[in-house]
Amino acid sequence: MSGEARRAGRDRDAEGRARSARPRDGLGRPLPYGVAGVARQPEGVVRAAAETVREAQRLLDAGMPFHAHEVFEDAWKSGPEGERELWQGLAQLAVGLTHAARGNATGGARLLRRGAGRIAGYADGGGEAYGVDVAGLVAWAGELAGRVERAGGGVPDAAREAPRLARP
């Protein structure tokens, strides 16, 4: 898209929906047009639950929690209604980790706790969790949220503190 077209209106995808064409870095921050960024996750991918967990773990391990959030977002949009809280909560954990790594202590801690609250009901057989270590993630999120708040400006290496999603 030319600079003139961008100035005339919002970037649009092939279906006409607003979608920023700006490249992004590994934490999902927009970069200037024309700069090489990190490839985006394709949207609307329907995966089996185990594949969703594996792909999100791969992205978390690579220090790309923003991209992992997009994988979880696809799962909540395409999965059964009864699993929405699980996938939304996991997405919020990934976004909380993203904010913490970007230096946003308030947003990072808030989203980590909100995500943990959403998934907590899946602990101890409270719903299908596909091998996700819900109790471990809830504990991880609480610990990281507290550390992020104490640091006051986020934890710059937080993206490298990826949790293990699946139970050992």
Side-chain angles (χ1 to χ4, degrees):
M1 179 176 275
S2 72
E4 185 176 310
R6 279 192 297 275
R7 284 188 295 277
R10 297 178 70 181
D11 296 336
R12 303 278 174 188
D13 65 14
E15 288 79 40
R17 293 182 305 243
R19 178 169 167 88
S20 176
R22 286 175 63 181
R24 303 227 173 221
D25 71 5
L27 291 175
R29 291 177 289 222
L31 298 169
Y33 286 102
V35 172
V38 173
R40 295 178 106 150
Q41 287 299 114
E43 287 186 38
V45 177
V46 178
R47 300 173 181 88
E51 186 183 352
T52 294
V53 173
R54 276 193 307 274
E55 179 63 6
Q57 187 69 65
R58 181 187 72 76
L59 292 163
L60 288 167
D61 291 345
M64 298 170 55
F66 178 82
H67 296 76
H69 128 270
E70 292 177 328
V71 170
F72 289 132
E73 188 173 276
D74 283 340
W76 104 51
K77 289 179 177 178
S78 66
E81 180 68 32
E83 297 174 4
R84 180 167 284 199
E85 287 292 306
L86 174 67
W87 301 119
Q88 284 182 333
L90 291 169
Q92 286 176 327
L93 292 178
V95 173
L97 184 56
T98 299
H99 281 286
R102 289 177 176 177
N104 176 358
T106 302
R110 183 176 295 135
L111 282 163
L112 286 164
R113 288 194 175 101
R114 188 177 301 152
R118 279 188 185 257
I119 68 170
Y122 290 85
D124 301 323
E128 181 63 68
Y130 302 105
V132 171
D133 180 9
V134 174
L137 286 173
V138 169
W140 166 84
E143 187 278 328
L144 183 58
R147 205 159 24 102
V148 165
E149 287 173 328
R150 287 188 298 279
V155 178
D157 63 345
R160 299 289 177 198
E161 298 188 33
R164 296 305 312 159
L165 297 173
R167 288 187 280 264

